[in-house]
Amino acid sequence: MMKKSFIRAGVFLLACILCFGAMTSVSAAYDDADTVTLSGSGSVSVPADTAVIRFCIETHGKRESSAKTQNDEILEEVKSYGGNLGRISEESYCSFEDPVSGKVTVSRCLSLTTEDMDSVTSLSERLIESGVTSVQGVWYSVKNMKPFEQEALRLAIQNAESKAQSLGLGLRVSEISDYGCYQRCGCFGCQEDDGMITTIECNVSVVYKRR
């Protein structure tokens, strides 16, 4: 038991030495520099107030006209209930013939934007029931990003400042040379584990001068 404790203590001490050595080498890299540019990042997760459901309708027929008629019928049904809860926009339309079967496929992809957050799950389910081929995902967002961007930007600058202080070189802010903010989204939408949440993230580059 004492041997194991001794080994753990040795590993901890080695980790501390390596960490201190890394910090010292980073600080030394800036010893002769008049300015230091450091990056920072900050994020804020907030409840979404807008959802965009993206979906596609694919139909088949001997001729394009018959495939399109089927496609239009499904779309009209979607509009009959979806149009009351949001805005439907067509994003793409194409048709192509299968060289083997000779059948024509009409593919149409659309988006339904709604602010009725309580209806998102039921809308997605009803789209499939109406004949929609696939629901590609739900993208959550907030209409007014500005206050959340400002908070995320503040956190990003704070993150860069903590890095500057850790160098121990007595640095002061000269300028923010670059920054950008965006809503973080995955390939299947902006929904996170907590539900209808969207994350606003900001990244900055801050130029510091020696005091």
Side-chain angles (χ1 to χ4, degrees), residues 95-116:
S95 63
F96 55 91
E97 182 178 335
D98 187 319
V100 177
S101 66
K103 287 187 175 182
V104 176
T105 296
V106 168
S107 178
R108 175 186 266 147
C109 291
L110 308 100
S111 63
L112 194 164
T113 304
T114 181
E115 295 175 17
D116 187 344

Side-chain angles (χ1 to χ4, degrees), residues 132-148:
V132 165
T133 310
S134 64
V135 174
Q136 296 171 309
V138 183
W139 278 254
Y140 292 107
S141 63
V142 287
K143 294 189 293 294
N144 183 14
M145 281 181 56
K146 189 171 182 181
F148 306 115

Side-chain angles (χ1 to χ4, degrees), residues 20-132:
F20 178 77
M23 290 176 64
T24 303
S25 63
V26 170
S27 177
Y30 294 112
D31 280 347
D32 298 326
D34 294 326
T35 62
V36 175
T37 301
L38 299 172
S39 63
S41 62
S43 63
V44 178
S45 294
V46 297
D49 56 22
T50 304
V52 179
I53 306 171
R54 291 194 166 90
F55 60 97
C56 293
I57 304 170
E58 193 171 280
T59 50
H60 314 277
K62 291 183 178 180
R63 294 182 300 276
E64 181 177 350
S65 58
S66 61
K68 185 177 182 302
T69 297
Q70 296 174 53
N71 208 291
D72 290 341
E73 289 172 354
I74 295 172
L75 179 56
E76 285 305 310
E77 184 176 347
V78 170
K79 286 180 177 178
S80 69
Y81 57 84
N84 296 325
L85 297 172
R87 183 180 70 257
I88 297 175
S89 304
E90 186 172 303
E91 298 188 349
S92 67
Y93 176 97
C94 70
S95 63
F96 55 91
E97 182 178 335
D98 187 319
V100 177
S101 66
K103 287 187 175 182
V104 176
T105 296
V106 168
S107 178
R108 175 186 266 147
C109 291
L110 308 100
S111 63
L112 194 164
T113 304
T114 181
E115 295 175 17
D116 187 344
M117 306 306 291
D118 293 333
S119 70
V120 172
T121 300
S122 60
L123 263 176
S124 300
E125 292 172 351
R126 193 165 180 185
L127 286 170
I128 298 298
E129 291 170 0
S130 300
V132 165

